[in-house]
Amino acid sequence: MTDKLRIAVVGAGGWGRQHARIFSRRPDCELVAIAARTPESAARRAAEYGTAGYTDLAAMVKETGPDLVTVCLPNEEHFAPTRALIETGVDLLVEKPLVFDLAEADELLALAAERDLFFGINFNHRYAEPVVRAKAAIDAGELGDLVFLTWRFGGEANRGPSPHANLIETQCHGFDMLEHLGGPIRTVAAQLTDKTYGAYSTVALALSFESGAVGTVLGSYDSSYAYPDSQLIEVNGTTGRATVHDTIRRLTLSRAGDETTRVWEPGYFNDEARSFEGTFDRHVEAVLTALRAGDPPPVPAAAGRRALQIAQATIASFERWTRVDVAEFGR
């Protein structure tokens, strides 16, 4: 690697712009290429950031020699481009969801492992300041033994071909976050509804954790991101409770029996912490630090496989009308 890391971005959509923004502004990086599905979109986004545009991924890697390629494509079109990039031998950071099919996830992970590639996934919620502080409080024992955890996340529909787009594409953040804070999920019991437009747009889940704790998930495409607390995490232990409001907006920490609550909110000048996009900047900082040091990704792509595994157990629970062990779908 040179002093400046050479970065290529695959994807010219709205969140792909965030990828390009970050790497074009970092003084330790050079944005060497942007790839898209059509020549027009590739040329347009590349011109916006003063770099080269591509539609051929193999040619892009060969001609620009990136140290890292980041991938941000439509949710259900991840597999083939990611596989093609792995075959070039380049290190990768991909957007969630990893894929929609467990066999495809296993194939990608195996191919990347064979080539000893750096292969990370962007579960950026982990890097929100309230989540970082909640995790620190849990690890320090401030909440005692965890007893129950709740994830709620709902907004306008992001429709896709899969009837389970909400579960796999959006609530994957919830599965990752609940395990990040509470440890492995053991079983799931599911209720899903297709009441509004045919897909399973709202899900309600009951969970058990390996630790003995229990949990709930309420995830919806039948709500609105305009509502307060459209995203809410509650972690309740034997001696305290933590709540995260709207990912970046607020953290509250309470002690059992104490009516005084500690609150963190970003201050007047703390624009970075109140920005959802800034959680990705923070993750990129950790990614590049690990890449330069030769360490594994801070959030490995296997975490994407794990979220998909829990989603598949959820689907099985709903179809069988019973509680399902997550281990049925692999470890």
Side-chain angles (χ1 to χ4, degrees), residues 261-329:
T261 297
R262 287 183 291 153
V263 178
W264 177 90
E265 292 179 335
Y268 181 78
F269 289 110
N270 196 356
D271 292 335
E272 183 272 338
R274 68 166 57 87
S275 164
F276 180 78
E277 290 80 4
T279 62
F280 186 28
D281 292 66
R282 290 178 172 201
H283 187 194
V284 165
E285 178 67 29
V287 164
L288 297 185
T289 298
L291 184 64
R292 286 183 179 277
D295 293 333
V299 187
R305 199 270 183 208
R306 175 64 181 178
L308 179 60
Q309 176 182 344
I310 300 169
Q312 292 300 326
T314 297
I315 295 166
S317 170
F318 177 68
E319 292 177 345
R320 299 173 192 171
W321 221 231
T322 187
R323 184 170 67 162
V324 169
D325 194 319
V326 174
E328 177 183 336
F329 296 89

Side-chain angles (χ1 to χ4, degrees), residues 93-104:
L93 173 66
V94 300
E95 278 296 335
K96 59 81 196 170
L98 181 59
V99 285
F100 274 62
D101 180 85
L102 280 173
E104 291 180 349

Side-chain angles (χ1 to χ4, degrees), residues 164-195:
H164 297 291
N166 170 49
L167 177 68
I168 295 173
E169 184 274 325
T170 296
Q171 305 314 323
C172 63
H173 277 301
F175 297 141
D176 181 71
M177 190 57 51
L178 289 173
E179 292 205 322
H180 179 60
L181 298 174
I185 294 168
R186 181 179 180 183
T187 65
V188 57
Q191 298 283 358
L192 282 63
T193 181
D194 58 357
K195 179 178 180 180

